[in-house]
Amino acid sequence: QPYVNKILKKEGVKAFKKVKAPYSTVNQKESQRLRIGCLYLRILRCDGQDPAIIIDDESYFTLTHCGLPGNCYYYANARGDAPDNVKYSYQKKYEMKIMVWLAISRDGVSRPFFCQSNNAVTKEIYTNKCIRQRLLPFIARCHADGYYLFWADLASRHYARLTLETFDDLEINYVRK
């Protein structure tokens, strides 16, 4: 390896760390292209004004320490000297998580929503707790002029019939799937 590195250095070849990027299939790329095109057309039709884009996202956090890289070690004089609860990291199949939801735009941030969950949040929780109780007041506070566009990701609960009916009933301008 030192010899190969010497040759590479002599030739001016450098090593670079790979950058992580999401993998997309051909169908996904086509869907992205069409969706971005529709978004672009919606923005151009806003009477020359630049509408604010509101996005929302959620993240899930476990209630244990197992996701932290430094917590995978234990210290002892010998492997058998530590008790089992120190040697082993017990994990449940469906670990309890905390979901944090937030909407954001260039004009501000909504109130966050925290929810304890074993699985993904349902369309009912998303519609009532996120849209009605947090997104709507955020729009009224930061985008009362009506020049905004809500752009949800492609999660199934964001385009469930109940959610779409709520968007229409509350007159929320949103990017259609």
Side-chain angles (χ1 to χ4, degrees):
Q1 184 176 355
Y3 180 69
V4 171
N5 287 342
K6 183 178 176 181
I7 293 171
L8 292 175
K9 186 175 181 182
K10 183 179 175 182
E11 295 296 323
V13 178
K14 297 178 183 179
F16 298 96
K17 187 173 182 177
K18 291 183 179 182
V19 178
K20 290 184 179 180
Y23 174 77
S24 298
T25 64
V26 174
N27 290 342
Q28 288 171 327
K29 287 179 183 179
E30 180 63 20
S31 173
Q32 292 164 357
R33 189 184 68 74
L34 292 172
R35 193 167 150 95
I36 290 171
C38 291
L39 177 65
Y40 181 71
L41 291 174
R42 291 269 314 261
I43 290 173
L44 287 180
R45 289 191 205 149
C46 288
D47 303 329
Q49 292 191 13
D50 185 20
I53 303 293
I54 302 172
I55 59 172
D56 76 336
D57 202 9
E58 58 277 334
S59 289
Y60 294 88
F61 302 93
T62 62
L63 299 175
T64 62
H65 65 283
C66 65
L68 302 174
N71 288 340
C72 62
Y73 301 101
Y74 70 92
Y75 299 92
N77 291 330
R79 187 176 292 273
D81 288 352
D84 286 350
N85 66 341
V86 173
K87 286 192 293 188
Y88 302 112
S89 176
Y90 299 103
Q91 295 178 354
K92 295 179 181 176
K93 188 171 183 176
Y94 298 106
E95 189 173 0
M96 188 58 70
K97 298 177 277 194
I98 297 290
M99 189 270 302
V100 180
W101 175 92
L102 194 69
I104 188 169
S105 76
R106 67 177 181 213
D107 297 325
V109 179
S110 71
R111 282 185 17 233
F113 172 60
F114 300 93
C115 177
Q116 189 170 348
S117 172
N118 278 345
N119 298 314
V121 172
T122 64
K123 62 187 174 207
E124 291 82 11
I125 291 174
Y126 178 73
T127 301
N128 294 323
K129 301 290 184 178
C130 300
I131 301 301
R132 289 183 184 277
Q133 293 181 11
R134 285 165 180 80
L135 180 64
L136 199 57
F138 171 67
I139 291 171
R141 186 180 82 239
C142 296
H143 303 286
D145 60 359
Y147 285 105
Y148 71 88
L149 192 57
F150 179 62
W151 191 6
D153 62 22
L154 292 174
S156 59
R157 70 184 154 277
H158 294 169
Y159 292 96
R161 184 181 307 139
L162 174 65
T163 306
L164 297 179
E165 289 171 357
T166 302
F167 288 156
D168 292 336
D169 291 345
L170 300 174
E171 297 179 356
I172 294 175
N173 302 325
Y174 65 96
V175 177
R176 305 208 185 273
K177 190 173 183 179

